[in-house]
């Protein structure tokens, strides 16, 4: 609005104030408008000004007085009953035309016509226009002045212009209301999208915390058990286990703090840009599990460095969760095998097997490990199979299959 003329801005502010009064106190506004036109009609009657344009100046004063009121007082109910108000005004207007008084108060019916065009269907607007022709035709027939088109056509044009103005204002209001409703819907959709994004982020963070804490605590538990047995026979090995426990604990704390910092909105400084684990970190993961006392044999085939970061993280977390479950539930003398392969046709395949007793079924409402693996897999349209191996071999098997990334099809 900075480039608008000052007069335009002043008029717009004035119109907005009038609309605000009309919206807050419609009855007060209607009383003011009606009182203005009633006063003007009474002044016209009292001063005798109506005789300057009357076709018949001998109309009784009492009739002129009642015609003045009948043409203006019904204006008070123009919002609730516009057609009824127009019918009453036209009745008085017909008498006004038939007697030749030709009171200017009859022009107030144009305000009612505007309200009909603004609020009622177009079919009723047509009926209103036809009704308004009655006093016009009566006056023309009763007191002919010149040709018919000189008396009727200008009035009809005035009716048409007022009706079109009402339709234009109505269209503008409908358009504004549609924009407001659209803006409201967009706000609702924005809030819903924000809630969905927040829920997805909470799920992601919960999955990451489960993977990080669950794996590292399992490694620490294994190291602590091994250190307890080694303490009596080989203090050196016990010290090595304690060192590994300290290193694993610090690593888990660092990753946990990084996740918690993401949740804090008032964290000063730049965000932690530490990358997520990738396949290059798989050897370090397996070495940590071995240090916890689980023998692991690993095999990697194919070039995995070209995989997208998301798929590498999925493979890493699935291997991590599978080995964590083996540490938790595998039992004594358990061993594990990790096989990772990639080719251009089948994509990425990961198989983790162990020789343990297998993971027991978690209680209802718990056990997010397998759920987290399936959620990660579904992000890349992959498949995940997890279950016990058949007897007599026994053990547990987790198999992940991710399709070839789209970039490799180019």
């Amino acid at each position: 609005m900075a480039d608008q003329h000052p007069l335009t801005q002043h008029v717009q502010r004035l119109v907005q104030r009038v609309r605000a009064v009309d919206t807050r106190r419609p009855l007060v506004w209607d009383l003011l408008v009606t009182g203005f036109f009633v006063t003007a009609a009474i002044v016209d009657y009292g001063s005798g000004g109506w005789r300057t344009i009357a076709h018949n100046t001998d109309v009784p004063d009492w009739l002129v007085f009642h015609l003045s009121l009948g043409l203006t007082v019904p204006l008070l109910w123009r919002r609730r009953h516009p057609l009824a108000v127009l019918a009453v005004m036209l009745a008085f207007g017909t008498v006004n035309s038939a007697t030749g008084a030709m009171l200017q108060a009859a022009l107030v019916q144009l305000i009612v016509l505007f309200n009909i065009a603004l609020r009622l269907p177009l079919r009723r607007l047509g009926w209103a226009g036809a009704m308004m022709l009655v006093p016009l035709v009566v006056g023309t027939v009763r007191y002919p002045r010149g040709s018919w088109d000189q008396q009727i056509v200008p009035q009809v044009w005035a009716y048409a212009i007022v009706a079109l103005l009402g339709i234009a204002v109505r269209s503008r209001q409908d358009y504004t209301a549609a924009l407001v409703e659209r803006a409201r819907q967009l706000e609702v959709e924005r809030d819903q999208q924000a809630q969905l994004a927040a829920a997805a982020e909470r799920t992601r963070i919960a999955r990451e915390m489960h993977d990080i804490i669950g794996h590292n605590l399992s490694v620490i538990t294994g190291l602590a058990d091994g250190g307890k047995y080694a303490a009596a026979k080989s203090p050196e090995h016990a010290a090595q286990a304690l060192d590994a426990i300290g290193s694993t604990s610090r690593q888990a704390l660092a990753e946990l703090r990084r996740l918690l910092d993401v949740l804090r909105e008032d964290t000063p400084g730049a965000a932690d840009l530490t990358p997520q684990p990738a396949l290059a970190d798989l050897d370090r993961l397996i070495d940590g599990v071995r240090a916890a006392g689980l023998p692991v044999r690993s095999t990697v085939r194919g070039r995995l460095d070209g995989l997208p970061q998301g798929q590498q993280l999925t493979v890493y977390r699935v291997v991590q969760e599978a080995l964590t479950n083996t540490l938790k539930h595998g039992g004594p003398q358990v061993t594990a095998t990790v096989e990772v392969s990639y080719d251009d046709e089948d994509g990425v395949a990961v198989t983790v097997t162990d020789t343990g007793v297998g993971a027991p079924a978690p209680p209802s409402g718990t056990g997010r490990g397998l759920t987290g693996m399936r959620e990660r897999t579904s992000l890349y349209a992959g498949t995940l199979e997890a279950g016990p191996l058949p007897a007599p071999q026994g053990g547990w098997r987790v198999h992940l299959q991710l399709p070839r990334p789209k970039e490799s099809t180019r």
Side-chain angles (χ1 to χ4, degrees):
M1 294 181 61
D3 57 346
Q4 290 184 349
H5 194 276
L7 179 60
T8 303
Q9 297 180 10
H10 178 72
V11 172
Q12 288 181 350
R13 285 194 295 267
L14 181 62
V15 171
Q16 290 175 357
R17 291 176 182 175
V18 172
R19 287 178 177 175
V21 174
D22 187 18
T23 302
R24 291 196 305 268
R25 302 179 182 273
L27 180 59
V28 174
W29 178 253
D30 290 344
L31 287 172
L32 289 174
V33 173
T34 305
F36 172 80
F37 285 104
V38 170
T39 302
I42 296 300
V43 170
D44 186 50
Y45 155 75
S47 65
W50 61 277
R51 288 186 173 90
T52 59
I53 61 171
H55 293 166
N56 179 15
T57 57
D58 296 330
V59 180
D61 289 344
W62 65 268
L63 181 57
V64 174
F65 177 76
H66 286 88
L67 288 176
S68 298
L69 294 180
L71 290 171
T72 55
V73 172
L75 192 64
L76 182 63
W77 295 277
R78 73 186 187 279
R79 294 181 194 262
R80 290 174 291 179
H81 310 288
L83 277 178
V85 169
L86 182 63
V88 172
M89 285 185 173
L90 290 178
F92 284 92
T94 302
V95 176
N96 177 49
S97 299
T99 59
M102 299 301 174
L103 299 178
Q104 296 186 44
L107 296 176
V108 175
Q109 63 189 358
L110 294 176
I111 299 177
V112 183
L113 178 64
F114 176 83
N115 279 267
I116 292 175
L118 185 64
R119 294 181 172 87
L120 298 183
L122 292 180
R123 181 171 57 86
R124 296 189 180 183
L125 178 61
W127 281 106
M131 291 166 58
M132 294 182 68
L133 294 177
V134 174
L136 183 60
V137 173
V138 170
T140 302
V141 173
R142 186 76 172 80
Y143 299 96
R145 299 286 179 91
S147 61
W148 279 51
D149 59 341
Q150 291 178 343
Q151 290 184 269
I152 294 180
V153 172
Q155 295 291 332
V156 172
W157 271 111
Y159 298 162
I161 291 174
V162 172
L164 290 175
L165 180 61
I167 293 174
V169 174
R170 179 179 185 171
S171 301
R172 179 67 178 178
Q173 290 180 349
D174 293 343
Y175 177 71
T176 302
L179 290 179
V180 171
E181 177 62 20
R182 177 58 179 165
R184 188 192 66 82
Q185 292 179 355
L186 289 175
E187 289 180 357
V188 172
E189 292 176 1
R190 180 200 62 192
D191 294 341
Q192 291 177 346
Q193 291 295 332
Q195 293 174 359
L196 292 175
E201 184 65 11
R202 285 194 298 268
T203 301
R204 185 191 69 82
I205 293 175
R207 187 169 56 232
E208 290 291 332
M209 292 182 68
H210 172 272
D211 292 342
I212 293 171
I213 297 176
H215 171 75
N216 285 288
L217 286 180
S218 297
V219 172
I220 290 172
T221 302
L223 290 170
D225 291 340
K228 180 180 67 174
Y229 289 113
K233 298 181 180 180
S234 178
E236 295 179 358
H237 289 114
Q240 293 175 359
L242 291 175
D243 290 339
I245 289 174
S247 176
T248 304
S249 300
R250 284 188 292 271
Q251 178 184 354
L253 268 178
E255 294 188 15
L256 184 59
R257 284 171 181 161
R258 178 174 58 84
L259 280 177
L260 294 179
D261 286 342
V262 173
L263 299 177
R264 294 181 55 190
E265 297 181 356
D266 57 346
T267 303
D272 186 5
L273 301 180
T274 303
Q276 291 278 24
L279 292 180
D281 304 305
L282 200 58
D283 291 339
R284 185 162 54 89
L285 170 69
I286 294 175
D287 290 340
V289 175
R290 288 170 179 160
L294 174 64
V296 180
R297 183 170 57 88
S298 62
T299 304
V300 178
R301 293 188 294 271
R303 294 183 56 85
L304 302 175
D305 52 354
L307 287 177
Q309 180 64 32
Q311 286 197 2
Q312 292 194 35
L313 177 61
T314 298
V315 172
Y316 181 92
R317 292 304 189 197
V318 168
V319 173
Q320 182 185 54
E321 181 62 28
L323 294 178
T324 300
N325 288 337
T326 300
L327 280 171
K328 289 181 180 179
H329 312 294
Q333 307 300 321
V334 63
T335 61
T337 302
V338 178
E339 297 180 356
V340 182
S341 63
Y342 172 79
D343 61 65
D344 292 336
E345 294 183 1
D346 298 331
V348 184
V350 179
T351 303
V352 181
T353 58
D354 63 53
T355 59
V357 297
S364 177
T366 62
R368 290 191 51 86
L370 185 58
T371 301
M373 286 193 289
R374 294 193 187 281
E375 289 175 352
R376 293 181 184 278
T377 304
S378 64
L379 290 176
Y380 298 96
T383 59
L384 181 75
E385 300 174 359
L389 293 171
Q393 180 181 357
W396 193 265
R397 175 179 180 269
V398 175
H399 179 72
L400 169 69
Q401 182 71 47
L402 296 180
R404 180 180 54 178
K406 294 181 179 180
E407 291 81 0
S408 63
T409 61
R410 297 177 182 178

